[in-house]
Amino acid sequence: GLFTAGLPGSQYRSDFIQPFYSRTIGLNTAGQPQPIEGGMRYVDRTEGRTIGAMYLRQQGSDSIKATDFSVLRYQKSYGQQNNAGFLLTNKYEETARSNISHIANTTLTFNGINRLTPNFNTNYMVSGSREGQNLTNGLAALANFHYENNKFYLNTEHYIVTDHYNPAMGYFARSGVVYTNLSFSPHIRGKWLGKNIREYHPSLFIDIYQNIHRLSSQEQSYGFNTVALEFNNGGNFFVVDILNKQSITTAFRPVNATISPGNYSFWQHIIGYRSDQSKHFSTELNLTIGHYFNGSQVEYSVNARYTPDPHAVFFVNYDHNKLDHLGLYKQNIMAKLLAAGARIYWNPRLFFNGLLQYNSIDTSLNYNLRISWEYHPLSFIYLVLTDINDKSRVFNERQFINKISFVKQF
């Protein structure tokens, strides 16, 4: 998007550094909706550059005071496929404290993309943050280098995040860390693979996290994708072996089990198949066996998607995770996650998105329904209904949110 900079997260990775994320606006620290009193957005695009600005004022409540959000974006294109620009954000939050009238958080980010050759490209980002009455400063920087041709691809990624980096209008995965990634995969084709296999592309990847002060290892992952087959019918089959090494300094509780501080080394083995996702009906199957910290793990997931026509998608996902002898108290845990949803376009301007999700860990049943209508070019009406039913904490919360935007083009 226009205001995007950094390293977004995805379903394949949990690492992310993003100085601005629009969904941080309109929510309090507990994730509850906060009314928006008003705002405006300005966009000016030409062939060689883009300018964007946005201001929103969030209404106060008993738990949070009124807050002003401001964003300024400039991006310049040069050469054939290169760009560079900056992103400035400011969050100004009023307070009820007698000695402090407000809390401000500001970030300034420079980023760009360079395609040096048709096969080799780089992207980079440097972002600084300043916040609070003491003007605490923080820094994050990343660089990515990617080379790919018909025979192989090679990718390396690096980032650093200092202890006090805090983009209050964005998000990031972890602080006080130096990260290094390397991945390599050859593209192997030939008649010897058989008539049903288009390509064999095994791969190797390495992830290393280090403490920013001592450069001591926090976490390491070594992945070996020994079997990776792409079939002529659009399907894929793979086998991945991952060696994880983690140094835990403080106890934490994933899936309600306490993991004690210490050094852990464990293997995970993943087998998966994915059918052609362009078909009307497609599936994805995954099986993970091995260990998780000091416990054993068996996890499988089944995903199915049905696309009757280009205007509608229906899907069901099921994940079953069994962990034995995990954590300080050697707990046996069974976690089940079931999700079903639909995305429907009645026409190019009217869109519906629905999601129903059940989680056995907290026995919660949640749904989210959203309708988006573009009633005027680039102007939208959003209607959102959310229901959270958490039986473990005996509460039921239902919320209805509406949002109207209007854009005038000159």
Side-chain angles (χ1 to χ4, degrees):
L2 171 63
F3 299 103
T4 299
L7 181 68
S10 74
Q11 69 180 98
Y12 302 105
R13 62 178 305 141
S14 59
D15 288 63
F16 38 77
I17 307 171
Q18 205 160 343
F20 174 73
Y21 185 55
S22 62
R23 294 189 180 181
T24 60
I25 302 174
L27 298 174
N28 62 20
T29 55
Q32 305 302 316
Q34 290 291 122
I36 301 297
E37 293 184 350
M40 64 183 73
R41 175 174 171 169
Y42 171 80
V43 178
D44 184 3
R45 298 180 187 267
T46 66
E47 184 177 354
R49 60 111 179 102
T50 300
I51 299 173
M54 183 167 61
Y55 167 78
L56 289 166
R57 181 170 176 81
Q58 179 178 284
Q59 190 178 100
S61 66
D62 294 337
S63 60
I64 186 172
K65 297 301 179 182
T67 307
D68 297 303
F69 299 88
S70 305
V71 190
L72 176 64
R73 176 66 158 158
Y74 177 82
Q75 194 170 56
K76 172 71 175 178
S77 299
Y78 61 95
Q80 293 185 346
Q81 294 179 310
N82 309 305
N83 66 63
F86 72 86
L87 174 73
L88 178 66
T89 72
N90 185 72
K91 179 179 179 180
Y92 186 96
E93 182 180 348
E94 300 174 2
T95 73
R97 297 164 62 179
S98 59
N99 59 334
I100 300 177
S101 61
H102 68 276
I103 298 175
N105 178 283
T106 303
T107 66
L108 178 60
T109 303
F110 296 92
N111 75 304
I113 299 174
N114 294 99
R115 184 173 290 276
L116 304 178
T117 70
N119 303 107
F120 181 50
N121 64 77
T122 69
N123 68 76
Y124 58 89
M125 183 199 78
V126 178
S127 179
S129 69
R130 171 174 286 196
E131 71 170 343
Q133 297 296 308
N134 297 325
L135 300 180
T136 303
N137 297 322
L139 179 70
L142 70 87
N144 174 266
F145 305 91
H146 182 88
Y147 181 87
E148 184 168 7
N149 57 26
N150 291 330
K151 296 182 178 180
F152 70 92
Y153 85 77
L154 177 66
N155 186 84
T156 181
E157 188 171 272
H158 311 266
Y159 69 70
I160 181 172
V161 182
T162 64
D163 292 333
H164 299 296
Y165 179 71
N166 181 25
M169 293 175 61
Y171 56 82
F172 62 101
R174 59 178 82 182
S175 60
V177 68
V178 177
Y179 170 75
T180 303
N181 165 269
L182 176 67
S183 58
F184 170 77
S185 175
H187 302 309
I188 301 173
R189 298 186 178 186
K191 294 182 178 180
W192 62 273
L193 291 172
K195 64 179 181 179
N196 296 320
I197 299 176
R198 177 183 304 168
E199 184 177 297
Y200 171 52
H201 45 84
S203 63
L204 166 71
F205 69 83
I206 300 172
D207 287 318
I208 299 176
Y209 299 85
Q210 296 171 281
N211 180 278
I212 193 173
H213 303 290
R214 301 181 300 273
L215 294 182
S216 57
S217 175
Q218 294 179 336
E219 180 180 340
Q220 302 173 42
S221 296
Y222 303 91
F224 309 92
N225 192 182
T226 51
V227 179
L229 302 176
E230 181 179 337
F231 300 107
N232 289 323
N233 62 7
N236 291 270
F237 176 77
F238 62 88
V239 177
V240 184
D241 302 294
I242 303 175
L243 173 61
N244 299 283
K245 294 178 175 290
Q246 297 202 27
S247 297
I248 307 300
T249 56
T250 58
F252 73 108
R253 289 176 55 82
V255 293
N256 294 333
T258 301
I259 305 298
S260 302
N263 296 319
Y264 297 87
S265 179
F266 54 94
W267 282 90
Q268 292 177 311
H269 311 281
I270 305 172
I271 303 173
Y273 172 77
R274 185 174 65 174
S275 67
D276 186 356
Q277 301 295 293
S278 66
K279 299 294 186 180
H280 287 301
F281 181 78
S282 60
T283 59
E284 183 173 355
L285 309 172
N286 293 285
L287 171 66
T288 300
I289 56 176
H291 292 84
Y292 183 70
F293 292 96
N294 64 331
S296 62
Q297 178 185 28
V298 176
E299 179 183 10
Y300 64 87
S301 63
V302 179
N303 304 324
R305 188 178 70 168
Y306 177 58
T307 308
D309 61 57
H311 306 98
V313 177
F314 303 90
F315 63 89
V316 177
N317 302 330
Y318 177 72
D319 186 271
H320 183 106
N321 194 359
K322 187 175 184 295
L323 301 164
D324 291 327
H325 308 293
L326 178 65
L328 178 63
Y329 303 105
K330 304 296 182 180
Q331 294 174 248
N332 296 327
I333 297 173
M334 185 88 69
K336 302 175 184 179
L337 182 65
L338 177 64
R343 296 187 295 270
I344 301 172
Y345 289 87
W346 280 285
N347 58 54
R349 295 181 179 274
L350 187 60
F351 169 69
F352 168 81
N353 183 26
L355 176 66
L356 174 67
Q357 183 171 281
Y358 170 77
N359 188 339
S360 68
I361 290 291
D362 55 10
T363 61
S364 62
L365 180 64
N366 311 323
Y367 66 78
N368 180 276
L369 307 175
R370 181 168 70 97
I371 294 177
S372 170
W373 174 38
E374 187 179 13
Y375 65 94
H376 183 79
L378 301 178
S379 302
F380 294 87
I381 294 177
Y382 299 96
L383 303 176
V384 182
L385 177 63
T386 301
D387 185 271
I388 301 174
N389 187 353
D390 190 337
K391 295 181 180 178
S392 66
R393 290 182 287 177
V394 195
F395 79 88
N396 188 12
E397 180 178 325
R398 182 172 297 168
Q399 302 166 350
F400 177 75
I401 303 172
N402 64 81
K403 175 183 175 182
I404 301 176
S405 67
F406 177 77
V407 174
K408 177 65 176 178
Q409 293 181 291
F410 300 94

